[in-house]
Amino acid sequence: MDVGKKTEQSQRVYDEMAWDYDSAPEGKYTRSHKEEIIKKAVLREGDNILDVACGNGNLLGELSKKARVNAFGVDISENMIAAARERHPDCTFAVSPCTPLSFENGSMDVITVSCAFHHFESPQAFADECMRVLKKDGRVFIAEPYFSPVVRWLANMVVFPFSKTGDVRVYNQKELRLFFESAGFTDMESYLTGTVLFFTARK
C-alpha cells in the first residue's frame, strides 16, 4: 500500500487506539458524527453500503440494524479492521486506503464517512471515487468536525502541518461541496448541527 506521510500517521495512531477506541476521548468525540449519519441515512433491504475509514465497525453495525443490507467497511488500520471483524461478523471488512476504492463501478447504494474526511490526503480523488462506485441515485453521507473560521485557519495553517495525528485539513461547507461538484454530483445538501458539519450528495 503506497501511502503518504499523513496517512502513515493516521495508520499508526489508530492502530494504537483500536481496542479502546469507544472509551477514548476520540471515540466519544466522534459519536455525534456517527449519530447524525445514522439518523439521516435512508437504507433499503438489500442495499450495498460502504463505510470508508470504518474504524472498529460500530457505525456499520448500527446502520445494519436499519435494514438488511450488504455491509462493507474499509480502513487503513489493521488493528481497527481486526476489532471490526470481531465485533461485527455479519459485515465484510478490508484493510484499504480511501483511494482507490477496490469496488466495481456502480456497485454501491450508500457510502458513509464519519469524522475521517479531514484525514484524506486526496479529497478530490475520493469524491471522484464516490461518483465511480455509487449506483445511479446512490448517496454519500459525510459527517465532519465543524470549526469556526478562525479555529479552522489555525488548525489548517498552524496545528495540522506539524501534528503527528494524521489530520490533513478541515473544510467548510463550500469547500466540501466543491469537491463533489467537481466529481459530477449536482444534488447536494449540507448543514451544521452543533459541532458537526453534515454533507450528503446523490449521484
Side-chain angles (χ1 to χ4, degrees):
M1 196 176 358
D2 185 24
V3 296
K5 188 177 86 168
K6 286 291 183 183
T7 303
E8 277 179 5
Q9 290 174 357
S10 297
Q11 217 168 1
R12 202 159 47 242
V13 166
Y14 289 100
D15 269 341
E16 281 170 16
M17 68 168 81
W19 301 103
D20 306 309
Y21 183 77
D22 290 339
S23 54
E26 169 134 0
K28 290 173 180 164
Y29 175 75
T30 60
R31 204 165 293 150
S32 58
H33 299 73
K34 291 183 177 72
E35 283 164 5
E36 201 60 31
I37 290 176
I38 292 162
K39 195 165 76 185
K40 296 296 285 188
V42 179
L43 302 175
R44 298 156 308 192
E45 299 286 308
D47 272 358
N48 294 332
I49 168 171
L50 169 63
D51 187 27
V52 178
C54 65
N56 62 12
N58 279 0
L59 174 59
L60 212 46
E62 287 298 314
L63 289 171
S64 297
K65 293 175 187 171
K66 291 184 78 166
R68 286 219 303 267
V69 295
N70 304 306
F72 303 88
V74 296
D75 200 283
I76 53 165
S77 162
E78 289 186 18
N79 288 354
M80 280 290 196
I81 291 296
R85 283 175 178 151
E86 195 175 281
R87 288 160 180 242
H88 305 284
D90 293 341
C91 305
T92 304
F93 296 99
V95 178
S96 172
C98 61
T99 55
L101 295 170
S102 55
F103 295 88
E104 298 290 318
N105 295 356
S107 58
M108 291 292 151
D109 296 282
V110 171
I111 295 173
T112 57
V113 186
S114 174
C115 210
F117 191 82
H118 59 284
H119 284 274
F120 294 175
E121 293 195 77
S122 307
Q124 186 60 63
F126 174 72
D128 294 344
E129 280 290 83
C130 288
M131 176 54 86
R132 180 184 70 77
V133 167
L134 282 172
K135 297 177 185 176
K136 183 167 178 3
D137 291 327
R139 297 191 79 129
V140 56
F141 297 95
I142 296 176
E144 271 289 280
Y146 171 72
F147 294 172
S148 68
V150 172
V151 175
R152 189 166 57 246
W153 184 88
L154 284 169
N156 290 339
M157 299 299 167
V158 181
V159 180
F160 292 169
F162 305 102
S163 75
K164 303 249 187 318
T165 51
D167 299 291
V168 176
R169 185 178 179 86
V170 281
Y171 304 95
N172 62 25
Q173 286 167 279
K174 190 176 170 187
E175 289 170 320
L176 265 183
R177 287 180 70 92
L178 277 171
F179 289 129
F180 286 85
E181 265 176 23
S182 298
F185 289 88
T186 52
D187 185 359
M188 291 169 285
E189 178 196 353
S190 59
Y191 60 82
L192 304 173
T193 172
T195 58
V196 176
L197 165 52
F198 183 81
F199 174 86
T200 180
R202 187 171 72 186
K203 181 170 173 179

